[in-house]
């Protein structure tokens, strides 16, 4: 930690102005110094060894020279002079300490163990405050608002009052507010807490002009540890240092606790309040320990490399002076950020003073005869300086520190990231450059455009003329950036050989990269930036630029996959900018995707068609024997993929001509895709079925069938012509399939069987055509059955014929086909049941018994029929129909079955009859039960309807147990009771009446 | 002091021991997984923090790595005050560092937080052939104070023969004796800087550091 790390060397401060005491007085030397910025301009108070105090003005108004970004120089020779304002004599002894009471307009001085008060203009004589004698240290209480109360651990009332009275200088949000001036004085082993009360002047004059005042003792605290030689008081904690060590004394309880003791032989203790963090720095040797208000250590120790004579604070640094050098150490990580000499070594004791303020900007150091003022460079200047030295890491480090301290606005942070990015870009560190670009919220993607496309172009006017801090050259195409960068490295290497130091990246210098690699890295990373930019909200024209140029970059690296992904996703590419380029470079797929995504369907599909043609021709051209199978497989897949892309476009298109124009080649590659194109429900305007039907290749029957099926089943098409067409087409296919099957069956050879299987597999339908035909013929009634019949008349499609005849009501023909041709007696019986007349069964029986055409009678079927439906057949008629040649055994069985069926039928009827009777008897019984119920009537009984006393009168009771007099009964009738219940409509059933059998 | 909130523990951990024993190396290994052949001597104290997942809680260690120099001895109380755990490190090749370590134990027992978990760590186990601190030394080490006071003292040193040893990870052993004496490998040169989190026995030892009262 003891060496300056290159990334941490900064220019935090620069010399501002100086003052040479020897020009004013030959005899005296500087003893103490204080600085205040509450007044404007900033004023320095310098106490001398000869007992005087003088003030200097650090007027910064005319010292703006270094604000303009010139590198601060280490020499102080051109510095402005601090202007001397006034001096006042204090005592004969050295002025040991100067305390500026800015809120009171006073300065408190410690000299010769006594306290003196002087007005801040030094216009009056210093006033010696009575009482004090032997004071070694004086410190003022500082409080951070609202924080003192919570700390009073076991405060009794008295203490609380004391604490309230105590008050102090309240520091709130970095601003000092006026409060009571409470001081702690160290007198030997004793701490005396006093309040400074200013005396009032004579009438008419303000306090300011008089330096009188008095000290009121509030409390005395005995300090056991030793003689106090340094002290800091924040909130309720008084930190004191003695030769033995550091202690913390609570001003509330007076209790003291050791923070740590000092090694036996060591430098005198020294304390420094760190306003910014509200912590205290405790020094031991050249080590600084930072503790919080409770005395607990926070963070690691600071190690001051060269020891120290005096310590101050500026922003996040501790400022130490020693040996004619001023050094800044980062409070957080202990890193030494800057070293500035201000006088040669051996210059003697020096002191440093810093503003007692969180946002101090000035520190002053004094040697015996010289005072030098330093001002903090604005953060921006510090960063610029680091960037100029190409210390990007250091700059970012500082930026991050500033950000974590809340001292950097988001916009500035973004600005700096962009600036660093551009610098890195020109230094050929493309990856890091883009990393920084991506961290910038304010950078416009269009700022990158000139690096990709030469000006002027479509987007030239969009590019903001943001030159940042002007630290990098104006944008140029990446090739130029790379060439220039390489040239710079080359030149630097010459210079280096000649012994001239240059600030060129060592890494690049040692391993000069090759141009191609650099260019590739540049393009890759800029693509990454554009990719990320796509996620942002951009104006239309910028989005167009981003996407178009991204395509350019992808193409430059031939990243086909990315190109196609970009082209096929939603994008803002400008087609005219890319069309030509993509065609030239043969990225036809990308172009097709692009056309499609831009809604230029016809162009897109045309390209797909060309691609498909190319694929298929390459298939023919390349008959390399070994690869042929593999190749053809691949090409086939590719061809399908191409057709799929085209069909995807066509599925959404409503342009009928376009669709029908391309249907052919797509169908050649894949019938399924062609069908998908035709049956898509994604298009807005449906195709005209007639035109589609006529334009489908007559060879591709399945496409037609699929299309018609879709129209009929999914689009609820009621066009009888189309229904008929569908039926005819199916029938034709069915006949063909039937014949084909027959042939292959006849041949019964393995070869044809395989072929048969193959044709079956090639079909785009899953169910065989006959099944489809039968289902359709049965389900639709919009086709013309006769036309279909005409077609299949001569064929073997008997079931289909049966369906059609049934449609035409030709019962006999239907039965004939079912019963005799197909011998499907079940279907035949079913059909009879459909017809629903007994004579149908009879007709069927007749057919079974006399099939004609020389066929043998189908006795089994006949017997079955009689068994199932014998009861509906007239036995006489049956007997008549029985053929004389029927074998007796069969005939008897037939008749027996018929009779048995009839007897069975009869018996069944009897059983049902008896069961009904039983129920009837049960019901009667219940009725009787109900009627024979006894009802008890007494004198009190009333009619439920007219409330008349029943007495001995005739009365009636309803099933719901209501009782009425006879008169009312006549009026109401039997079926409606008093409650209004109508027993005819709303039947009442009592549990006992239920037939339980 | 270890503080608990939402399964998040904050634990102040302090490292004490002779200069050159390897305190800083140990911390660096734990926090950053690094080892430097030429570790600069610590001045004052260095501060680190490291968060660990132990079972379903997270423990944020605030680690104070103190300077071993005698000169800064007086700063140590400031760092071990209120610490939940202390690791006292010695170098197994140096008897001086061992006696210094014993003194630290005594000091902590006298002045430290009574609930503090102490670990006694023998470092540089890769230099076994140069070992000067033996098992006997360590058993006399255990005699520090009376038995009650030595409770909660964890012994971390491998290569020494203890009965009832249990193998844990990469050569580390845990002795079951009294359930409180643990011997861990503290070789900075090898082994994972953060021991595998899925290793249960490791968790056991880890929780040892955060337990306020191990008895
Ligand atoms: N061989 C070996 N050397 C170590 C080990 N741990 C630390 N050292 C070395 O011991 C020296 C002192 O280490 P350091 O961590 O500074 O000790 P500290 O003073 O206790 O902080 C350094 O040179 C380390 O490289 C270890 O486990 N094995
Ligand atoms: Mg160390």
């Amino acid at each position: 930690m003891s060496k300056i790390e290159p990334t941490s060397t900064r220019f935090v401060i620069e010399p501002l102005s100086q003052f040479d005491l020897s020009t004013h007085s030959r005899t005296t030397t500087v003893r103490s110094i204080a600085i205040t910025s509450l007044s404007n301009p900033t004023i320095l108070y310098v106490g001398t060894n000869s007992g005087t105090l003088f003030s200097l003005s650090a007027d910064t108004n005319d010292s703006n020279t270094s604000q303009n970004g010139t590198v601060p120089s280490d020499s102080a020779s051109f510095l402005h002079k601090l202007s001397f304002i006034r001096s006042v004599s204090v005592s004969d002894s050295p002025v040991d300490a100067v305390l500026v009471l800015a809120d009171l307009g006073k300065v408190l001085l410690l000299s010769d163990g006594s306290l003196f008060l002087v007005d801040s203009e030094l216009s009056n004589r210093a006033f010696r405050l009575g009482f004090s004698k032997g004071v070694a240290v004086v410190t003022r209480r500082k409080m951070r608002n609202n924080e003192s109360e919570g700390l009073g651990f076991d405060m009794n009332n008295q203490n609380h009052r004391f604490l309230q009275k105590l008050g102090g200088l309240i520091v709130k949000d970095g601003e000092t507010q006026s409060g009571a001036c409470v001081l702690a004085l160290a007198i030997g082993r004793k701490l005396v807490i006093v309040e400074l009360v200013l005396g009032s002047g004579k009438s008419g004059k303000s306090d300011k002009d008089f330096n009188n005042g008095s000290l009121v003792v509030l409390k005395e605290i005995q300090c056991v540890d030793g003689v106090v030689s340094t002290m800091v008081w924040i909130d309720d904690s008084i930190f004191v240092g003695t030769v033995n060590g550091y202690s913390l004394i609570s001003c509330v309880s007076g209790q003291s606790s050791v923070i740590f003791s000092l090694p036996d032989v060591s430098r005198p203790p020294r304390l420094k309040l760190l306003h910014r963090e509200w912590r205290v720095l405790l020094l031991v040797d050249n080590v600084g320990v930072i503790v919080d208000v409770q005395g607990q250590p926070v963070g690691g120790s600071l190690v001051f490399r060269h020891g120290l004579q005096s310590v101050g604070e500026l922003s996040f640094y501790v400022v130490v002076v020693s040996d004619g050098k001023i050094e800044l150490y980062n409070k957080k990580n202990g890193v030494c950020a800057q070293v500035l000499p201000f006088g040669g070594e051996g210059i003697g004791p020096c002191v440093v003073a810093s503003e007692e303020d969180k946002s101090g900007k000035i520190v002053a150091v004094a040697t015996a005869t010289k005072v030098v003022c330093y001002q903090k460079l604005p953060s921006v200047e510090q960063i610029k300086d680091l960037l100029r030295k190409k210390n990007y890491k250091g700059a970012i480090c500082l930026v991050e520190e500033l950000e974590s301290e809340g001292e950097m606005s988001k916009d500035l942070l973004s600005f700096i990231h962009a600036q660093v990015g551009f610098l890195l870009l020109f230094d050929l560190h493309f990856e890091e450059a883009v990393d920084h670009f991506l961290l910038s919220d304010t950078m416009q993607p269009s700022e990158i455009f000139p690096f990709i496309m030469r000006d002027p172009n479509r987007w030239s006017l969009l590019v903001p003329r943001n030159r940042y801090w002007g630290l990098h050259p104006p944008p140029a195409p990446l090739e130029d950036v790379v060439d220039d960068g390489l040239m710079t490295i080359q030149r630097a290497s010459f210079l280096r050989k000649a012994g001239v130091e240059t600030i060129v990246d060592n890494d690049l210098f040692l391993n000069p990269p090759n141009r191609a690699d650099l260019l590739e890295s540049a393009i890759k990373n800029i693509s990454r930036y554009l990719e990320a930019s796509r996620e942002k909200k951009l104006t239309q024209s910028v989005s167009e630029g981003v996407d178009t140029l991204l395509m350019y970059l992808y193409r430059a690296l031939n990243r086909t996959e990315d190109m196609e992904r970009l082209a096929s996703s939603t994008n803002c590419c400008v087609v005219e900018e890319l069309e030509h380029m993509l065609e030239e470079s043969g990225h036809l797929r990308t172009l097709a995707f692009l056309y499609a995504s831009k809604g230029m369907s016809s162009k897109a599909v045309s390209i797909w068609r060309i691609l498909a043609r190319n694929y298929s021709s390459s298939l023919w051209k390349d008959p390399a024997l070994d690869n042929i199978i593999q190749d053809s497989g691949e090409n086939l897949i590719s061809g399908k993929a191409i057709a799929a892309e085209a069909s995807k476009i066509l599925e959404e298109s409503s342009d009928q001509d376009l669709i029908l124009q391309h249907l052919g080649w797509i169908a050649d590659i894949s019938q399924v895709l062609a069908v998908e194109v035709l049956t898509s429900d994604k298009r807005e305007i449906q195709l005209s079925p007639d035109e589609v039907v006529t334009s489908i290749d007559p060879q591709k029957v399945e496409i037609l069938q699929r299309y018609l099926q879709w129209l009929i089943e999914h689009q609820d098409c009621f066009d009888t012509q189309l229904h008929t067409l569908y039926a005819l087409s199916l029938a034709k296919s069915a006949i063909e399939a039937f014949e084909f099957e027959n042939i292959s069956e006849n041949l019964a050879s393995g070869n044809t069987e395989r072929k048969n299987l193959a044709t079956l597999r090639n079909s785009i339908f899953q169910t065989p055509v006959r099944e489809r035909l039968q289902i359709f013929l049965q389900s639709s009634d919009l086709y013309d059955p006769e036309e279909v019949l005409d077609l299949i008349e001569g064929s073997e499609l008997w079931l289909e014929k049966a369906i059609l005849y049934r449609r035409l009501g030709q019962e006999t023909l239907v039965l004939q086909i079912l019963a005799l041709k197909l011998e499907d007696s079940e279907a035949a019986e079913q059909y009879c049941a459909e017809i629903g007349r007994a004579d149908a069964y009879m007709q069927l029986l007749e057919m079974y018994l006399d099939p004609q055409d020389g066929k043998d009678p189908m006795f089994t079927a006949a017997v079955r029929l009689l068994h199932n439906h014998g009861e509906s057949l007239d036995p006489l008629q049956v007997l008549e129909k029985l053929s004389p040649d029927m074998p007796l055994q069969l005939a008897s069985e037939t008749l027996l079955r018929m009779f048995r069926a009839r007897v069975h039928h009869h018996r069944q009827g009897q059983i049902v009859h008896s069961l009904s009777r039983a129920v009837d008897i049960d019901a009667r019984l219940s009725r009787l039960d109900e009627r024979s119920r006894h009802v008890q009537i007494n004198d009190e009984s009333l009619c439920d309807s007219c409330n008349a006393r029943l007495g001995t009168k005739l009365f009636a009771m309803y099933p719901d147990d209501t009782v009425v007099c006879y008169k009312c009964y006549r009026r109401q009738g039997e079926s409606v009771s008093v409650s209004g219940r109508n027993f005819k409509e709303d039947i009442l059933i009592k549990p006992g009446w239920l037939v339980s059998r | 002091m270890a503080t608990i909130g939402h399964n998040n523990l904050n634990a102040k951990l302090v490292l004490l021991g002779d200069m050159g024993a390897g305190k800083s190396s140990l911390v660096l290994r734990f926090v950053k997984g690094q080892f430097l052949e030429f570790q600069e001597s610590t001045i004052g104290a260095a501060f680190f923090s490291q968060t660990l997942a132990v079972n379903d809680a997270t423990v944020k260690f605030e680690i104070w790595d103190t300077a071993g120099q005698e000169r800064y001895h007086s700063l140590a109380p400031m760092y071990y005050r209120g610490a939940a755990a202390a690791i006292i490190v010695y170098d197994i090749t140096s008897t001086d560092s061992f006696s210094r370590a014993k003194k630290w134990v005594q000091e902590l027992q006298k002045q430290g937080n009574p609930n503090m978990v102490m670990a006694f760590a023998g470092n540089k186990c890769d230099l076994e052939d140069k070992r000067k601190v033996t098992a006997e030394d360590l058993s006399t080490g255990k005699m520090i104070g009376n038995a009650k006071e030595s409770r909660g003292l964890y012994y971390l040193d491998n290569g020494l023969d203890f009965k009832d040893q249990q193998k844990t990870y990469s050569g580390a052993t845990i002795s079951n004796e009294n359930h409180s004496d643990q011997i861990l490998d503290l070789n900075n040169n090898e082994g994972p800087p953060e021991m595998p989190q899925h290793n249960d026995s490791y968790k056991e030892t880890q929780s040892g550091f955060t337990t306020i009262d191990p008895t």
Side-chain angles (χ1 to χ4, degrees), chain A residues 1 258-261 263 265-266 285 287 289 297-301 303, chain B residues 12 40 43-47 64 71-72 74-79 81:
Chain A
M1 233 188 253
V258 176
I259 299 174
F260 65 83
S261 27
V265 186
S266 70
D285 297 343
V287 180
V289 175
V298 268
S301 315
V303 182
Chain B
K12 184 173 169 185
E40 272 186 57
I43 300 171
F47 176 77
W64 293 96
R71 183 161 179 79
Y72 298 112
S74 64
L75 266 67
M78 174 169 62
Y79 295 112
R81 213 175 284 145

Side-chain angles (χ1 to χ4, degrees), chain A residues 742-874:
Chain A
N742 262 8
I743 292 165
S744 46
E745 235 164 66
N746 286 347
L747 289 177
S749 98
N751 261 339
T752 38
E753 227 166 78
R754 201 186 297 148
K755 201 177 163 197
N756 183 21
L757 270 174
T759 44
L760 271 179
R761 205 186 294 137
N762 270 347
S763 169
I764 58 173
F765 292 99
Q766 245 141 43
T767 44
V769 62
R770 276 198 74 175
E771 204 174 317
R772 277 181 284 132
L773 174 63
Q774 288 160 8
I775 291 172
F776 176 70
L777 290 178
Q778 252 155 355
S779 59
S780 164
D781 36 48
L782 291 174
Y783 59 89
D784 179 351
E786 293 192 41
E787 241 183 279
V788 184
L789 258 179
D790 277 353
L791 181 69
I792 63 170
E793 198 71 84
S795 76
E796 295 289 313
L797 304 182
W798 290 105
L799 185 56
E800 289 78 356
K801 286 186 204 166
I803 297 168
L804 291 167
Y805 283 130
R806 194 169 77 186
R807 185 59 46 84
L808 294 171
Q810 308 256 33
E811 290 169 14
T812 318
L813 282 173
V814 176
L815 280 178
Q816 264 173 356
I817 293 169
L818 292 177
L820 306 179
K821 262 291 164 207
L822 300 174
E823 300 185 7
D824 184 350
S825 38
E826 204 170 318
E829 282 171 32
Q830 174 82 32
Y831 183 58
C832 290
E834 234 170 75
I835 296 169
R837 297 187 319 268
D839 64 316
Y841 290 109
M842 193 49 85
Q843 197 178 2
L844 181 58
L845 183 69
E846 226 172 297
M847 275 177 208
Y848 282 146
L849 295 176
D850 182 15
Q852 300 189 339
D853 285 345
K855 264 186 147 188
D856 287 339
M858 300 160 71
F859 294 122
T860 343
V863 170
R864 203 190 109 106
L865 176 67
L866 287 170
H867 174 78
N868 288 340
H869 301 282
E871 79 277 2
S872 7
L873 292 172
D874 184 344

Side-chain angles (χ1 to χ4, degrees), chain B residues 18-25 39-43 46 65-68:
Chain B
D18 203 2
M19 185 175 149
K23 298 179 292 300
S24 304
S25 305
Q39 176 68 39
E40 272 186 57
S41 193
T42 314
I43 300 171
D65 170 27
T66 62

